[in-house]
Amino acid sequence: MYVKDSEGSGMYSEWASLSSLIQQSNEESQSVLGKFPMVAGKDVAMAVVKQLSSNLGLTQQAECSPLATDREVQWCMEVICFGLSLPLTEHDTIRDCVNVYCEWLSALHPVPKICVPRPVCEDPNLYARKMINHFHNLFKPRKGEGPDVINRQAVLCHRVLRTLQHLTQLSSTLTRETWEALLLFLLAINDTLLAPPTIKDDVGDQLCERVLSVLFEVWLLACFRCFPSPPLWKTFRETCMNWRHRIALIEQWNRVNLALTARLLEFMYGSAFPELKIPEEDSQLIPNNVSADCIAQSWFRFMHCLGNPVDLCRPATISQTQKFLQFAITSENVVDPCQHPCLSNLPHIFLKAIKGVAGQVDAFLGVAQPFTWDEGSINEREKKEGASSHPPSATHSPTPPPQRRLAKSFSVAPSAVTKGIPKASLLGLTSSRASATTHPPSTPNSGPSSTSTMLSLGHDSRSPLAPTRPKCNSILHMFGEWLFEAAYIGCESSHPGKTGPVKSEANMNKRPSSLLLDSRKGSLSLSQPGSLTDDPDIPPALTIDKYEAGRAEALGALCRIFCAKKTGEDILPVYLARFYLAMQQGLKIPETRECGETLASILLNSADLFRLDLDGVQVLVPYVIEALEIVLPDKELKMKTPSGSKTELRRASIHLLLSMLVLPLHFQNLPIKELGNTGVSSSSLGSEKNPLTFAQLKPRLMNLLINALQVEGDPQNAQMLLGGLLLSVQDSAAAEEMDQITQLDVGPSSDTTSNLLSSASDTISSLSVPSDYRSLGEEPSDMQDADVTAAFGNMYLDYPVGLNKNSAHALFVRATYLVCHRLISSWKTDLNVSLAALELLAGLARTNIKETDALECKRAVKWLCDYIVSQCWRPPQAHSKDLHSTIVAAFQCAAVWLVAHPYLLQDKEGLTTVLEVVELGISGTKSQGKPSEPIKMKDEKELKPASMRVRDAAEALLTVILEQVGYFPSPCGAESLSSLLDEVSLLRHCNSWIGGEVTREMAVERFRYFVVENSTILALLEEPLGNDQDPQPTVTVLIRGPSGRHAWTMQLRHLPRHKSGTKYHAPNPGRPVPMSDVGVKHDVKHRYFPESVDRIPQCKVDKSIPSLDSFINSEGGSAVHHHLLQVIEHQSSLEDAAGNAPNTSAPLTALDSSKPGFWQDLEALDNISSRTCDTVHIFYVRAGQKTPEEILSNVVSDQSVHPNFLEFLLSLGWPVNVYQHPGWTGHISTSWRVMTPPQTGSADLHPNNHGGSLYNGETHVLYWADASSEIAFVVPSQHFSSDHFSSFERSISDGSNRVYNIRTSDKPRTLSLDLDKQACPTMPSNSGGFESGRRRPGTSRHPLASHTNTKVFVVWIESFEDHLHFPLSELLVTVSTGQKGSGLPRPQDRDCFVIFLHSLHNGLMRVKLQGPTGRMSLATPLVDGMLSATTCAPKAQSTRNDSKVSIGLCIFFHASGIEEY
C-alpha cells in the first residue's frame, strides 16, 4: 500500500514520539562536576583521566584497571563525562576521555580488553548505555573556536563513531535497551549537529556526512539484529525532516534505499531479473541471512523516513523548524527563516531526492545501470558557498583521508574492493552533482541540470525493460504520488482560486480508484506549492524555475513508467489522466522557444509513448508536435543545458515523429479531444467550435519531417528520417489511389480556418521545396523572415502552378528535391546514409503516384547521374570500397527509375545523360568531356573503370536499358525475364514431331549450338514450326546470354511480310535475267614515281648511297645479308604456324552437343536466374507461445490468427503454384522450372479456412518480383517441413547435382563464357535464393554477398513482449531453401534478420527489428519502433487484395535490399 504521511497521520500516527528522550539525553550527559567552578572541575578531570588513560596500553603495556567496584567506576565516569564537555583548548584531556571510553566499550566484544574494569565487564550493557550518553558532550558545538580546533574535535568524533559502528558489527550481546540507547544517541547527535542552518566549516558541516552515514548504517544493521520499535521509527522520521536542508541526508537516503532495493528485487523477482548494480561496499551493508520480510519492512520505512520529497521545493516548509526559527530570532540579517543562505541549495537537494525516487523506479523496470547516473566527487561541495558538507584536509588526522568518500562506510576493516563498478563511478545519487554552481543561483538557467543524466536513459541507449517487471499500476501506487506532485511544480492551477488539493485524514490511505476520483488523488488540480508563488520575498535562488531539473527528472520517470506498459495491461484512468495533464504542462513551449530540461526529459524518455495502446494517448499528439517543431527543424537548437547531447535528443524526437506519421491517414477526420481547460491556448490546438482533426496534422508532420531531414547531421538520425519519409510517400500515394481522393489543400494560401502549416518552424530553408531554377550544388540559405505566413508562402513559391501542396505528388517532389540535393552535397561521403537515400529514391520510383510529372522524374534521373559522375570523379585518395558501393547502388537505383518510368528514355537529352554515365562506369571516362575538349572515340580510350564492381553495375544498367525498359513485365509475366520456350517445347511444335514423350536429351540432338563472342550461346533449329501457315525456310534460335534465355524465329523470305499475301499469275517468278554489257578492262602498270623522274640525269650525290647488289658483293656484306635472310625466314615460319593454329577467339564457335553431360549442363544453365532471389519466412505467434510446435500450428486455421493476418499476407505478393511457376519458389528443387505436380492429395491439407498454411511452399507460395529481384514469401506450417523436398533432391541426377555444389573460385568474374574453363556457374543466394556465378544484369550486389547464409523472418506477434522469447534457433531447422551440400555453414541466430510485427488495438502495426548488432535498427525503409498502417483504407480491405499496403512495401523493399552492396 502507498502511505502519504502528514502531521498527525500516517502509519506512525498511533505511536508516541521519543523526541523528548532526545532532549533528556542532554540532561543525562551532565556531570556533578558541572556544579563546581570550571577550574576545579577541569583540574579533577585532568588528574583522574590522565591516570586512567595510562593503563589503556596506548603508549605503554596495558594494565588491569584499579577500579573494582561499581561505585568507583561510576565516580570515574562522572569525571570522564565532565572531561568530554571541556573546552576544545583542553584537547589532550578530551582525547584521553575518548580513549578511555572507547577502550571500555570493548566489554561488549567477544573478548574484552584487559584495561576494562571488572564491574564494566560484568554488566557491559548498563555501562555502555551510560558511556554512549556521555559521548553526547563531545559532539556539542563549541562557539568561537577556530578551524584548527574544530578539526581536532572532528577527529575525536570520528574515533567515537568508528568505535560505536565497529561495536554494533562485532558484538552479539547488545540488548534491546542498548540498541535503542545507541539509536537515540545517534539521532541526538545528528539533530544537534545538523538541525541548525548550515554554516560553512563548522563542526556540523564537517561531520555531516560522517554522522549521517553512521546513523543510516547502524540503523540498517539494527533492522536485522533488533528491529526498531514504531516509536523509534517515528522519531527517526521526525528528526530526519529537520535535516532536509543537508544534501548529505539525501545522498545517504538514496544510498541505503538502493542497497535495500537491490536485495528486494532479488527475492521478489528472482535471479533472472536484471541486477541493480551498486558498489560492493554498499551491498555489504545488508547481511546475506536477512529475511525477505525484514528487507521489505526496512525498505518501505526507509523510503518514507524523509516524508514527502516534494517538500524540498517548499523553503517555508523546510525552514519551519525550531533551529531555523531560533536562528531567525537571533540573527540581524535573516528576518524570515526561509531566507537563510543555506536554503539556496534546495533545488539541488530536490533534484537529488527525485533522482533517488527515479532510480528506484528504474530498478523496478529493470533498466537501472551505473552509467545512467552522473558522477561526482566530495570536493565539489567545497565550491558551494554556504553549503559545504565535509571537513577540509587535516594532515595530522588519524581518520581516513579526505580523498575517501565520506558518504561511504568508515569501518575498521579494510574497505572492500568494488566488484561491479569502480568507486569513482559511484551512483550520482550518493554524490554531489558536477554541475553544481559555485554560488547561489541567480539566473534562470543556473539551476542544476539533469539533462546529461536523462540522455543516457534515451530510447536507444538504455537497457531493455525487464520481461518480469511489475505492472505500471504497482509502481505508480508506490511512487506515483511523489512523481506526479513533482511534475506539477510550477504549473498554473486548473481551477482558479484553488490553492491545492483538499486533504483529509480519512482519505490519506486510500488507493486511487478507476471509478471515483477522490479529493486527494483524484483531483486533477495542477496547483503548485503556495510558498513558491504567494510570497514575493522568496530569494532569487529559490524561484520556481530553479526546480526545473527535479521536475524534469520526475517527468522522465513518469514517462518511463507509462512507456513500460505491457501488452494487455490496464492502467488506472486516474493515473492516465494525471499523466496526460502533467505531459501537457511539461510540453508547453516557452516564449523564448528554448528547449528546457523538462521538455528534453519528456522527449528523451517517451519514445514509445504512441506505440503502446495507452488509452486516450492521442490527446497528446498536438502538444508533442509543437514540441518537436522546436527541436527538429532547428539546426542550432537553443537549449538551457548546452551540456546535453543534441544528437540523442533529436533521435528520441525522431522516434516520436515516426510513431505519428501514420496517424493522419489512419484516423483521418476523427477529432482530437481537447485536454481540459488548463490555460494552454494555441491556434494550432483547435477549439470547441472547430475541433482539431488528425487529417489536419498531416501538413505539419510532413513539414516537420522534411525540415528535420534538411538540417540533420547525424547519420543514424538521417537514416531514420529517410525511412519515415519513404513511408509517408507510400502511405499518401496508396491512400489517394484506393480512396480516389486527394488530401484537402490546407496550405498557407488556403481559406481553411485551421492553417496548420503556420505552426511549423519559423525558419524554413528554401531547399525543402522544389525549385526549377535552383542549382543542387548551392548550399541552403535560411529565410530570416519572422512572419510565419510569409515564410510558408515563399516555401510554396516554386511549386508548379496548381500543385496541391498536401498531395502525394507534392510530397514526392519535395522528397526528391531534398534527398537528391543532400545526397550530392553532404551525404556523398557517408556510405550508410547514401545507401539509405538511394533506397528511398528507388522506393519513390516504385511508388505509383497518379499525378507524377515526367519532368520531375527526369530531374531525379539526371541528379542520380550527376551523383554517379561526382563520385567517379573524386580524387584517387577518396576512392574506397565504400565509395564504389555507393556508385553501384546509384546505378541500381537508376535502373529502377528507368524500368518504372520507361518514357524517360524517349527524351533525347535524358537518354544521352544515362548512356554517358554508363560509358563512364564501363570505361572510366566520357567520350565527350568538357565542351572545349575533342570527342574521344571508343577505340582511342583506355579502359580504366573506377572498379570492376562499378563496371559490372554499369553493364547491368546498360542491359536493363536494352532489354527491360519498356518491356517489363514481359508477356510471360513478372515471374520470368526469360522466354518460357526451351528445346523440348520448340521441338513439340515442329512439323516433324510425331508425338510422344520428348526428353531434354532428345531435343538437344535436334539443335546446333554455337558460342558468340565468348559470352552468348546460340541454339539453332532449322525446321519450320507447325503453327506457320506460310511455310518458308525457317531457323528458330534460342539465345542464352547474361540476361536470360530468349527465343527468336527467322525466315528466308523473298518478299516483305506485308506483301507476302499478293497473288501472282505465274507459279514461279523465275530467276533474274543476266546483264549483257561488260565493262572495259584497262591494263595499267603501277609505278612508285612518275615517268618524268627517269628522264632526270643523275649526279654523284645520287650515287652516294650504294645499291643492294653492290653491298652484297662487297666484303663483309654477304655475311650480313645471309644473317638477315635467316631472320626473315624464321619470322615467316612463325607467322605461318600462328596462322594455321585454331583461333580460340573466333566470333562464332561451334559446340559439340553429343558430348556426355552437355544437356545436363545446359539444363543447369537454364536454372540460373538473372535476378537476385530472396526468401522470407513468415510466422504467427499467439500470446504467450514459446515452442515451435505451437507457433507452426497457428497458421493451419484462420481461427488461430488475427483477422488482418491473411490480408497482410496477400499484400506482400501474389499466390503462385510452385509447380507451374517459372520463378523462384523459396526452394531450389521447384524453382525456375515448370513441373507436373505429384499426385499426393496435398490439396486436402489446405482447406479454404486456412490461416496461411497454403503458402508453406508445398503447393503455393507468395511471390513478388521486379526487373532486378524476386522474393518468395513462405509461411511454414506444422504438417509440412523442409523434409518434403528430400524426394526432389534425391531425384536429381549426379550431373544435375553439380548445379548445387560448385566452388566459387571456378566461376569467371566477367560476362564471358570461357570454354576452356567452363564450370557450372551457380551459387546459392544469401537468403534462400539462387545466385548466378556470372554477374547478373539488373543487380549491383557484390559477388561476396552470395556467400552469406542469412535468413529473413517476419513474425506477427500478438503480445509485443513475446519477441524476447521467440524460439529462433528451433525454427531455423524448420526452414530450408535447398542449400544442403553447398558448403555453407548452418545459419546461426546472429545471422538472422527478424522483423516483428505487433498489431495495436487502434489498427496500427508496430515494427520491431532484430538482427546482427549495428545493422538491424536502421534497415531502411524499416526503422526499429516505427508505426505503420496494416491497411491503407478500410474500404479497400475486401476489394484490393493485390494492392501493396505500406507495411508490405517496407518488408519486401527491406528483404530485397538486405544484402550489402
Side-chain angles (χ1 to χ4, degrees), residues 928-1007:
Q928 177 64 58
K930 296 181 179 178
S932 59
E933 296 179 354
I935 298 177
K936 288 184 180 180
M937 307 307 291
K938 183 171 68 173
D939 56 346
E940 299 174 356
K941 292 169 50 176
E942 184 179 0
L943 295 180
K944 286 187 177 180
S947 72
M948 302 311 295
R949 284 198 299 146
V950 172
R951 194 190 88 174
D952 291 347
E955 291 176 347
L957 176 59
L958 181 60
T959 303
V960 169
I961 292 174
L962 297 178
E963 297 189 0
Q964 302 300 333
V965 176
Y967 301 99
F968 181 86
S970 66
C972 300
E975 290 84 352
S976 177
L977 298 182
S978 301
S979 172
L980 299 183
L981 296 174
D982 58 4
E983 284 85 352
V984 175
S985 57
L986 288 175
L987 188 59
R988 289 176 178 173
H989 289 85
C990 290
N991 292 329
S992 60
W993 183 56
I994 60 176
E997 185 68 23
V998 179
T999 63
R1000 177 62 68 95
E1001 185 176 8
M1002 295 169 54
V1004 166
E1005 293 176 354
R1006 304 284 290 273
F1007 283 75

Side-chain angles (χ1 to χ4, degrees), residues 341 344-345 383-387 435-443 446-447 541:
S344 62
N345 206 28
K383 302 177 183 178
K384 293 182 182 179
E385 182 177 322
S435 60
T437 55
T438 58
H439 54 81
S442 59
T443 58
S446 61

Side-chain angles (χ1 to χ4, degrees), residues 147-148 150-152 154-155 206 391-403:
D148 184 65
I150 293 178
N151 287 340
R152 293 185 176 185
V155 170
Q206 294 206 22
S393 175
T395 56
H396 60 278
S397 173
T399 57
Q403 286 80 9

